[in-house]
Amino acid sequence: MTASDAAGEAGLSVPARAARALVLAAVFTCAACGLVYELALVALGSYLVGNSVTQASIVLSVMVFAMGVGSLLAKPLQTRPVAAFAIIEGALALVGGLSVLALYAAFAWLDLYVPALVVVAFAVGALIGAEIPLLMTLLQRIRRQDAGSAVADLFAADYVGALVGGLAFPFLLLPTFGHIKGALLVGVVNAVAGIAVVLWLFRAQLGRVARTALWGGMAAVLAALSGTYALADGFEVSARQALYSDPIALSERTPYQEIVITRKPTGPSDTRLFLNGDLQFSSVDEYRYHESLVHPLMSGPRGRVLILGGGDGLALREVLRYRDVRTATLVELDPEMIRLARTYGPISSLNRHSLDDPRARIVNADAFSWLRRLGERFDAVVVDMPDPDDVSTAKLYSVEFYGLVRRALAPGGRIVVQSGSPYFAPKSFWSIQKSIAAAGLATAPYHVDVPSFGDWGFVLASPTPRAPTLALPPDVPDLRFLDADVLRAATVFPKDRRARDVDVNTLVHPRLVEYESQEWKNS
């Protein structure tokens, strides 16, 4: 039988070879779209909730299970594969395209994020799972071939499509369109590739009423996705604002994080910085945090100071108050945070333009990787990292990381680490202290009250047999909060918040993620 004979027998208007190529192209596109939906759900959870490992585990396990369910449910549909496939692709385009928006709404207004995530992941997975049996049936209708060859062709297109979708999401869709618009755009592509190609190829196998209904359904899906795309910016602004008590003055999503700055419209001025939803400082009381973080460290050697994190420039401000500091190197992953700290008025005035000081050297790099390649030594190191609520930040609180920091110390050098709340998260706090000690550093933990954060802790450490002495430098500048009496009291922990039996945090066993998740959830 010739290709044209096969096409005529199958009711196709193009040769069988071309028809197979078009169906495999649809397989490729649908696979790419399916993986984008999957990655979008994982990434959104990491942004909103943190703990990327848990988010990925929920999404992947639920979706893989649902794909199996969807494959079984598709068996009865193989008698009418053209109409069934078109309906499933329309539903997948709609559910997948709207998934990020729906989950964002569930998080912002309903506080039902995890249940909503399970439902959406199951729905998307079931629809993806139903695709393969129906596509296999369509391929066999074009030209019969043995099962092994058909499966090989189908899976080859599917896996290559998944590769393209997996690369397109982080490098194109997310930075260019963002979460919500990116998912909606992929839904449109999914609808066109999955429905139009199949309906056009197999139109002769459908009655007139069925064709009209399916084309109308596809048009409705495209209209819904396009209309939502047009309204997405306004929705995102409203949903984001629902997460914050004060009006949002600035919001940016970078390749590394979501940066939000809020400003109180009335009463005393209050500028707040949030990274991925976590408060980093309030202008009302940030001086309490940064004075406590920096000045006890500066009672030791301080000619060359290294700051890891602290891209807002506030710790750097305190370091540069000492005239004998010759150089202060600040290592910050996100260049956009540095740009805002330099140019956004409310922050640059708060940090007193510290990043433009001639003694400051700014390095945009991952602190862990940068330390591994480091060939210089520092007298004092400030570790001012975001809280370790997922694996990517927990590595910056690991025994291995503190080992790298220790290696960066000059003789007599010391480090200080912001260590979270010993009141709200005591296991996390003491795990950080224990991890620092496991890296061969003697530790002196202390804590102060920062109203925006609550009771907040730090660990001063040095590579000496005895713990470093907590004291203020003789030439300490005029401080608003910290003095010798406050610092002396800061070393005393109440009975219910003293050291406890916890595990150290390592790269292989990121215990902090578990501790943080449990404690802050219950706080």
Side-chain angles (χ1 to χ4, degrees):
M1 181 183 293
T2 65
S4 58
D5 292 338
E9 185 176 311
L12 302 172
S13 56
V14 297
R17 187 182 298 274
R20 282 179 59 81
L22 286 171
V23 172
L24 290 174
V27 173
F28 169 91
T29 306
C30 292
C33 294
L35 196 64
V36 168
Y37 298 143
E38 187 174 314
L39 294 174
L41 297 183
V42 172
L44 182 68
S46 300
Y47 273 129
L48 297 180
V49 183
N51 198 348
S52 55
V53 172
T54 299
Q55 298 303 308
S57 298
I58 292 173
V59 172
L60 295 178
S61 58
V62 171
M63 286 190 71
V64 170
F65 167 72
M67 287 168 66
V69 174
S71 295
L72 289 175
L73 294 177
K75 289 173 68 174
L77 304 178
Q78 293 179 61
T79 56
R80 305 189 68 180
V82 178
F85 183 75
I87 292 170
I88 284 172
E89 287 307 297
L92 179 58
L94 197 60
V95 173
L98 295 174
S99 60
V100 172
L101 182 144
L103 288 173
Y104 206 157
F107 181 82
W109 287 296
L110 303 176
D111 196 25
L112 291 172
Y113 181 78
V114 173
L117 176 63
V118 171
V119 171
V120 169
F122 185 87
V124 172
L127 292 168
I128 291 174
E131 290 176 328
I132 297 299
L134 297 174
L135 285 166
M136 179 70 73
T137 304
L138 293 175
L139 281 175
Q140 294 289 57
R141 283 200 173 186
I142 296 171
R143 176 169 59 82
R144 302 292 299 181
Q145 62 181 139
D146 65 271
S149 297
V151 169
D153 291 343
L154 192 66
F155 280 6
D158 187 79
Y159 293 152
V160 174
L163 170 67
V164 172
L167 296 175
F169 177 73
F171 296 114
L172 175 62
L173 290 168
L174 191 58
T176 305
F177 301 100
H179 262 116
I180 294 177
K181 283 189 170 181
L184 290 166
L185 187 63
V186 170
V188 170
V189 173
N190 200 165
V192 172
I195 302 175
V197 171
V198 172
L199 287 183
W200 178 73
L201 275 177
F202 295 95
R203 60 188 183 276
Q205 298 187 18
L206 295 167
R208 184 174 180 179
V209 174
R211 279 201 308 271
T212 303
L214 291 173
W215 282 114
M218 188 188 79
V221 169
L222 292 176
L225 294 173
S226 301
T228 306
Y229 187 96
L231 300 173
D233 288 335
F235 168 86
E236 190 168 3
V237 169
S238 299
R240 186 183 293 117
Q241 184 60 73
L243 303 176
Y244 302 96
S245 57
D246 293 331
I248 293 174
L250 181 146
S251 175
E252 293 189 13
R253 178 161 288 159
T254 76
Y256 306 101
Q257 60 196 347
E258 183 180 62
I259 302 173
V260 171
I261 298 173
T262 66
R263 300 193 70 189
K264 192 175 181 180
T266 59
S269 174
D270 186 3
T271 299
R272 297 186 174 217
L273 171 68
F274 297 83
L275 300 180
N276 290 340
D278 293 331
L279 177 64
Q280 303 303 303
F281 72 77
S282 164
S283 61
V284 171
D285 56 21
E286 59 78 18
Y287 64 90
R288 286 183 168 227
Y289 172 92
H290 290 102
E291 287 179 5
S292 303
L293 174 70
V294 171
H295 293 285
L297 174 73
M298 302 302 278
S299 65
R302 61 195 189 200
R304 291 166 53 83
V305 180
L306 171 64
I307 302 173
L308 302 173
D312 50 38
L314 298 174
L316 180 61
R317 175 197 68 197
E318 297 300 318
V319 166
L320 294 174
R321 296 179 71 181
Y322 294 88
R323 294 183 180 275
D324 56 345
V325 171
R326 299 189 303 276
T327 64
T329 301
L330 188 151
V331 180
E332 165 65 39
L333 176 64
D334 194 345
E336 185 60 21
M337 189 65 249
I338 296 296
R339 187 190 70 79
L340 288 172
R342 275 189 166 131
T343 63
Y344 186 69
I347 295 183
S348 62
S349 61
L350 200 60
N351 66 37
R352 300 175 193 166
H353 303 278
S354 60
L355 285 84
D356 297 320
D357 189 290
R359 293 174 292 168
R361 177 170 69 110
I362 311 303
V363 178
N364 288 125
D366 172 72
F368 197 102
S369 301
W370 186 81
L371 285 171
R372 293 185 66 186
R373 301 189 299 268
L374 186 63
E376 53 186 317
R377 298 293 179 265
F378 297 89
D379 301 306
V381 180
V382 178
V383 183
D384 188 17
M385 295 293 185
D387 293 342
D389 54 6
D390 64 20
V391 173
S392 62
T393 50
K395 76 173 185 179
L396 303 173
Y397 290 81
S398 64
V399 175
E400 294 86 347
F401 179 76
Y402 296 129
L404 294 174
V405 174
R406 180 187 180 190
R407 195 175 69 180
L409 288 175
R414 308 193 304 172
I415 73 170
V416 67
V417 180
Q418 90 80 10
S419 306
S421 173
Y423 180 81
F424 294 109
K427 287 184 179 180
S428 301
F429 178 83
W430 292 110
S431 176
I432 293 171
Q433 181 271 330
K434 194 171 182 179
S435 300
I436 296 170
L441 295 156
T443 64
Y446 60 105
H447 64 122
V448 298
D449 179 57
V450 182
S452 296
F453 293 158
D455 185 33
W456 210 258
F458 310 87
V459 176
L460 183 68
S462 63
T464 54
R466 298 181 60 183
T469 301
L470 270 170
L472 292 174
D475 60 342
V476 64
D478 185 34
L479 302 181
R480 297 172 62 187
F481 167 68
L482 197 63
D483 61 18
D485 291 334
V486 172
L487 189 57
R488 194 161 38 248
T491 64
V492 179
F493 290 82
K495 290 176 64 175
D496 62 349
R497 289 298 181 266
R498 290 175 187 167
R500 55 195 61 200
D501 184 21
V502 290
D503 294 323
V504 299
N505 185 63
T506 67
L507 294 179
V508 178
H509 297 289
R511 304 295 190 193
L512 268 177
V513 177
E514 177 185 349
Y515 291 150
E516 285 271 317
S517 175
Q518 291 175 347
E519 294 180 314
W520 284 108
K521 181 179 180 180
N522 297 327
S523 66

